[in-house]
Amino acid sequence: KDLPPAYPHSAHLHLNRTMNRLSSSLLWAILLLLMVPALANARQLIPQWKYVSSFPDAPGGRYDDMAFLDPDRGWVVNLQGEIWHTADGAESWVLQDDNDVPYRSIAIRDTPGPFGEVVWAGTVNTNGQSILWETRDSGAHWTDITHRISGDVPYGICGLVSIGDNVWGVGAYYGEPTVIRSVDGGRTWEGRAMQSRLASNLIDVYFKNELEGYATGGTDGLQSGTAVILRTLDGGDTWERVFVSSPTPDTQAEWGWKISFPSKDVGYVSVEYNSGGEPTAKVLKTEDGGATWREQWIEGSVSNAGLQGIGFINETTGWASGRGVTSVTTDGGESWTQLRDYSPGADSGQLDGRMNRFFVVNDTLAYGVGQRLYVVSGYGQLGTDIEIGVTPEIFSLEPLFPNPFTESATLRYNLEAPSRIRIRVADMLGRIQRHFPQRYLQPGVYEEKWDGRNDAGIRVPTGGYILLIDIGESMETKKV
């Protein structure tokens, strides 16, 4: 407030100094509040995936799908015609079928029949022949039930999901996109070809309940077009487009691959590419239950084919993989860190770059399947009740010099292990002014210089700034 003219001049000066100190304190408080989520994520206990040694490596390089009925009973399939089953929580496995049928998808009825569990497996690349298989005795016998599908029959079934007596399948990534559905526990099925204005291929399907479901694929085939997400609110009788992606630079085409809904409001879709270059990977995210979606980029993950498998164990912690590298996020996809592949010989690293399906069994147990099978357990609903994945110190930072500076400041750090490095500069309001390129570095001593300029090359105003330094799964800060 302006002071009356009679107010002593010295009081003006004292008040100004007081307000300056309060403003500085307020700015620091705001900055700390802005940094709390990032620092909390840095300290968050990220679950550690463990290699399931009882399960063999995929003969063709990758397993394609899996489903678990409960912590003990689960099935895994691949394109080499194998169906594997465990009845003891992955302690041991039985090869139930090996008939050269290319299995792509699998789903389990949540209530068993009189002779055991009821399971369906979908195939691809059979030109519409032998695309749907079933067992009603926990896998002792598998039967081709393609003939039960009336109406439109898809060329293949890339995704399957089951809720009660309802079962849905979608496919394929080639040919006319079609949705099949059973409302009597798989006894009879009906297929409906998707209208071309909605999609040109379908790859995965997810249902929240018997009425609300989502399917993902592409708009114009695998040689052109973009990713599309469809929604139904009547069990699959009618579908609508709720999202079409923007074309990613350096790609010929893109399409949605897998769906993960860790909660009723938050969901994710991985995006695969057809590209001759190496575009940055991206995922699609909804925070309003699937009504609207937005794109998120995975800096550091680049390939000519994008992503396939995606899985979240809660709204913020998840993994995206499938084309050579797996990335992890703990802040809902806003930032990602790439993982080193698991090495059986060294028994180090996590997951592999060919993950195609993540399956959350319950609040404390999840599986991931790619070239191998992996498990994470004991995580807990809150995700902080058990110390999993604690890593040793792999780096050290030296003080910034000179500090304060006029021309440039140098950050020197020493890596004890191969690590991905990301450095950013934020002002005192938490706004990012400068992004340094992410790098994956081998052990050694390195330097990064900041010349006081922002991303546009303009010198920033004189004042205090914060260096945000991500090394591996840790975050450090330096004031300059």
Side-chain angles (χ1 to χ4, degrees):
K1 295 288 186 178
D2 289 335
L3 295 171
Y7 207 90
H9 181 68
S10 60
H12 274 286
L13 297 178
H14 177 75
L15 182 59
N16 286 338
R17 286 194 295 266
T18 301
M19 293 303 295
N20 286 338
R21 286 196 296 268
L22 288 174
S23 297
S24 178
S25 299
L26 180 60
L27 287 176
W28 268 106
I30 292 172
L31 176 64
L32 289 174
L33 286 173
L34 289 169
M35 290 173 61
V36 162
L39 294 175
N41 282 331
R43 292 191 298 267
Q44 184 177 0
L45 301 179
I46 303 173
Q48 180 86 21
W49 288 92
K50 300 294 185 182
Y51 166 54
V52 179
S53 59
S54 63
F55 196 69
D57 287 6
R62 188 185 74 177
Y63 290 98
D64 284 77
D65 204 4
M66 68 175 166
F68 275 76
L69 178 62
D70 54 37
D72 292 325
R73 295 170 288 181
W75 281 262
V76 177
V77 300
N78 63 25
L79 291 177
Q80 280 62 52
E82 295 181 344
I83 300 180
W84 290 87
H85 173 54
T86 181
D88 55 13
E91 291 293 328
S92 62
W93 293 84
V94 174
L95 181 60
Q96 291 187 334
D97 194 52
D98 188 10
N99 63 4
D100 294 328
V101 175
Y103 294 113
R104 171 72 87 182
S105 55
I106 194 162
I108 310 171
R109 187 180 182 184
D110 52 19
T111 54
F115 305 105
E117 280 76 49
V118 182
V119 188
W120 300 276
T123 73
V124 293
N125 300 325
T126 62
N127 294 320
Q129 304 297 316
S130 302
I131 65 167
L132 186 60
W133 293 68
E134 177 189 77
T135 179
R136 290 186 172 268
D137 54 11
S138 301
H141 302 88
W142 286 88
T143 304
D144 180 1
I145 62 168
T146 306
H147 62 278
R148 295 186 196 167
I149 304 174
S150 62
D152 301 311
V153 179
Y155 287 91
I157 301 174
C158 295
L160 278 167
V161 64
S162 172
I163 298 178
D165 287 335
N166 293 270
V167 195
W168 298 266
V170 299
Y173 65 88
Y174 57 92
E176 189 172 28
T178 304
V179 177
I180 63 171
R181 182 188 182 188
S182 174
V183 296
D184 56 8
R187 298 293 183 182
T188 61
W189 299 75
E190 180 184 9
R192 294 185 180 181
M194 191 62 58
Q195 296 176 348
S196 59
R197 64 177 178 82
L198 295 178
S200 66
N201 58 60
L202 291 176
I203 295 163
D204 200 19
V205 61
Y206 170 83
F207 270 75
K208 295 182 179 180
N209 50 54
E210 294 181 353
L211 295 177
E212 184 180 355
Y214 296 83
T216 188
T219 59
D220 295 306
L222 304 183
Q223 301 304 316
S224 62
T226 54
V228 64
I229 298 176
L230 309 181
R231 179 176 68 172
T232 178
L233 298 177
D234 55 15
D237 289 337
T238 60
W239 295 80
E240 62 172 342
R241 276 188 183 181
V242 292
F243 180 80
V244 177
S245 69
S246 301
T248 299
D250 300 325
T251 62
Q252 300 171 16
E254 64 188 52
W255 50 89
W257 188 262
K258 288 291 189 288
I259 305 172
S260 175
F261 264 90
S263 70
K264 66 180 182 65
D265 293 324
V266 177
Y268 299 85
V269 168
S270 57
V271 177
E272 190 177 35
Y273 297 145
N274 179 359
S275 172
E278 291 189 340
T280 298
K282 75 177 178 183
V283 300
L284 312 177
K285 180 180 181 179
T286 179
E287 297 172 281
D288 57 9
T292 62
W293 297 74
R294 62 186 176 92
E295 299 175 340
Q296 290 182 317
W297 301 93
I298 304 183
E299 298 294 338
S301 176
V302 295
S303 74
N304 64 353
L307 301 171
Q308 290 194 324
I310 189 168
F312 278 72
I313 56 177
N314 55 41
E315 291 185 350
T316 59
T317 302
W319 295 261
S321 178
R323 291 299 187 180
V325 64
T326 294
S327 304
V328 60
T329 179
T330 59
D331 58 9
E334 299 303 324
S335 63
W336 298 78
T337 299
Q338 282 68 55
L339 298 175
R340 287 186 295 122
D341 284 2
Y342 173 73
S343 171
D347 191 26
S348 63
Q350 290 190 69
L351 304 175
D352 57 66
R354 307 200 68 184
M355 306 301 296
N356 197 45
R357 178 71 79 181
F358 295 89
F359 192 95
V360 178
V361 181
N362 55 40
D363 290 334
T364 62
L365 178 65
Y367 287 91
V369 68
Q371 183 179 354
R372 306 176 181 89
L373 181 69
Y374 307 88
V375 62
V376 59
S377 61
Y379 187 59
Q381 279 187 305
L382 299 180
T384 56
D385 62 344
I386 184 171
E387 290 203 9
I388 303 175
V390 176
T391 57
E393 291 294 327
I394 62 171
F395 66 92
S396 59
L397 298 175
E398 297 183 9
L400 279 161
F401 67 91
N403 192 13
F405 75 93
T406 56
E407 295 301 323
S408 68
T410 299
L411 172 70
R412 181 175 293 164
Y413 53 93
N414 179 40
L415 298 181
E416 301 293 340
S419 305
R420 187 165 296 279
I421 313 298
R422 181 173 68 161
I423 299 175
R424 294 164 293 167
V425 180
D427 62 22
M428 301 303 287
L429 293 179
R431 299 171 298 193
I432 303 299
Q433 298 291 328
R434 179 73 174 268
H435 296 78
F436 289 92
Q438 291 191 67
R439 295 188 290 169
Y440 188 85
L441 301 175
Q442 297 300 319
V445 178
Y446 298 91
E447 289 184 351
E448 193 75 71
K449 291 182 181 292
W450 181 41
D451 59 1
R453 299 180 184 273
N454 60 21
D455 285 337
I458 301 172
R459 297 278 295 190
V460 298
T462 298
Y465 293 85
I466 298 293
L467 266 66
L468 306 175
I469 307 152
D470 291 308
I471 300 182
E473 296 175 357
S474 300
M475 172 181 279
E476 298 289 337
T477 62
K478 293 286 187 181
K479 184 174 181 291
V480 61

